[in-house]
């Protein structure tokens, strides 16, 4: 079984400052890693995902994440945030083998960008 | 851009009543999912559905729950006799298949059981 931990439930940051949202996972098998964003009153939207290859993954809206296998982490970063980045961010994993396609989510991190 | 839609956006029901939550997945997708998020908790997997049958389900998905694809477009989640603890946001998702493929989520239905 896999699990995902997002240590920060809320992260306030000033506009144009950098941000890092932390995600750690535990799994006894290989996994794929995802970051989703949820804007108010909307569904979950994929920001980026790591399947294999380069450990630095770039996504939409200027976000990137780095997969670190030894630390079992997949932290999300953005060098300069905008007001429009205010949303809830979810880290998720799925089993990379056959037969199980479910996503396992973390509890989410609410990013508040302060003008 | 194609999107997953869900109706209603908010459903209020009395404990013990049956509810049906509806989803229209993206048209060429083959796998369909239901997740739920109880307020303040994680998004949790409920069930996945492929080729007109359940392919995987979680411990949460007990006999009170059922899913159906009644026609070529809708995907429904039925809760037979709602409990207070079923109050949550229910998300539908769909994708083409396998665990590397992005799941596309609907906006959710907020279910409130009184």
């Amino acid at each position: 079984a896999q699990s995902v931990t997002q240590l920060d439930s809320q992260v306030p940051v000033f506009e144009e400052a950098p941000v890092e949202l932390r995600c750690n996972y535990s799994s006894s098998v290989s996994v794929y890693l995802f970051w989703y964003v949820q804007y108010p009153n909307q569904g979950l939207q994929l920001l980026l995902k790591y399947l294999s290859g380069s450990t630095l993954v770039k996504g939409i809206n200027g976000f990137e994440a780095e997969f670190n296998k030894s630390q079992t982490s997949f932290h999300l970063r953005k060098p300069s945030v905008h007001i429009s980045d205010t949303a809830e961010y979810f880290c998720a994993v799925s089993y990379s083998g056959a037969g199980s396609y479910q996503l396992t989510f973390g509890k989410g991190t609410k990013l508040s960008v302060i003008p | 851009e194609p999107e997953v839609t869900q109706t209603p956006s908010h459903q209020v029901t009395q404990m013990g009543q049956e509810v049906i939550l509806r989803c229209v997945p993206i048209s060429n997708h083959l796998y369909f999912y239901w997740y739920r998020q109880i307020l303040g908790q994680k998004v949790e997997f409920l069930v996945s559905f492929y080729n007109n049958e359940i392919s995987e389900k979680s411990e949460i998905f007990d006999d009170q729950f059922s899913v159906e694809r009644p026609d070529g477009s809708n995907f429904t989640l039925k809760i037979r006799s709602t409990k207070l603890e079923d109050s949550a946001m229910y998300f539908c998702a769909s994708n083409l298949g396998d665990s590397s493929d992005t799941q596309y989520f609907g906006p959710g239905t907020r279910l409130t059981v009184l």
Side-chain angles (χ1 to χ4, degrees):
Chain A
Q2 47 256 28
S3 66
V4 178
T5 302
Q6 291 182 248
L7 290 169
D8 306 303
S9 59
Q10 296 192 55
V11 173
V13 63
F14 285 103
E15 193 175 12
E16 297 183 8
V19 70
E20 178 179 84
L21 306 182
R22 296 179 292 169
C23 172
N24 288 88
Y25 70 93
S26 71
S27 177
S28 56
V29 296
S30 294
V31 295
Y32 298 127
L33 296 148
F34 304 80
W35 275 98
Y36 280 85
V37 60
Q38 185 180 30
Y39 299 104
N41 301 315
Q42 295 186 29
L44 300 165
Q45 178 185 359
L46 182 75
L47 271 179
L48 49 79
K49 62 183 179 182
Y50 173 78
L51 305 181
S52 65
S54 172
T55 56
L56 184 64
V57 181
K58 294 191 183 297
I60 61 170
N61 302 339
F63 284 92
E64 63 182 33
E66 185 150 22
F67 169 60
N68 188 318
K69 189 173 182 178
S70 61
Q71 297 187 6
T72 59
S73 67
F74 190 54
H75 300 331
L76 182 70
R77 301 187 184 101
K78 186 170 183 178
S80 175
V81 295
H82 301 287
I83 295 289
S84 59
D85 293 323
T86 294
E88 189 157 18
Y89 293 79
F90 295 91
C91 182
V93 301
S94 67
Y95 170 53
S96 65
S100 176
Y101 299 165
Q102 63 176 279
L103 289 169
T104 301
F105 284 89
K107 287 189 77 170
T109 298
K110 289 184 180 174
L111 174 65
S112 300
V113 180
I114 305 162
Chain B
E1 186 176 323
E3 57 183 20
V4 176
T5 59
Q6 290 184 244
T7 54
S9 56
H10 192 188
Q11 172 93 47
V12 181
T13 190
Q14 295 290 326
M15 190 170 56
Q17 295 297 304
E18 175 183 286
V19 294
I20 297 176
L21 309 184
R22 290 183 167 80
C23 168
V24 178
I26 293 173
S27 61
N28 64 332
H29 285 180
L30 302 174
Y31 287 80
F32 315 114
Y33 309 82
W34 284 102
Y35 292 83
R36 79 171 186 191
Q37 184 181 30
I38 295 171
L39 190 64
Q41 298 187 25
K42 296 184 180 188
V43 176
E44 300 171 291
F45 169 78
L46 293 178
V47 66
S48 60
F49 192 84
Y50 169 72
N51 200 25
N52 275 323
E53 59 183 33
I54 291 173
S55 52
E56 195 175 14
K57 61 181 181 179
S58 71
E59 292 174 354
I60 303 167
F61 194 87
D62 60 23
D63 292 344
Q64 292 289 90
F65 291 89
S66 62
V67 289
E68 193 178 28
R69 188 152 163 85
D71 52 43
S73 58
N74 289 283
F75 178 51
T76 62
L77 174 69
K78 183 191 291 186
I79 309 175
R80 189 163 56 219
S81 177
T82 50
K83 307 184 189 72
L84 295 175
E85 54 265 35
D86 293 328
S87 294
M89 181 72 90
Y90 288 81
F91 293 105
C92 174
S94 69
N95 68 357
L96 288 167
D98 88 41
S99 54
S100 67
D101 190 46
T102 301
Q103 291 183 25
Y104 292 85
F105 284 77
T109 293
R110 180 163 297 285
L111 177 65
T112 302
V113 182
L114 303 176

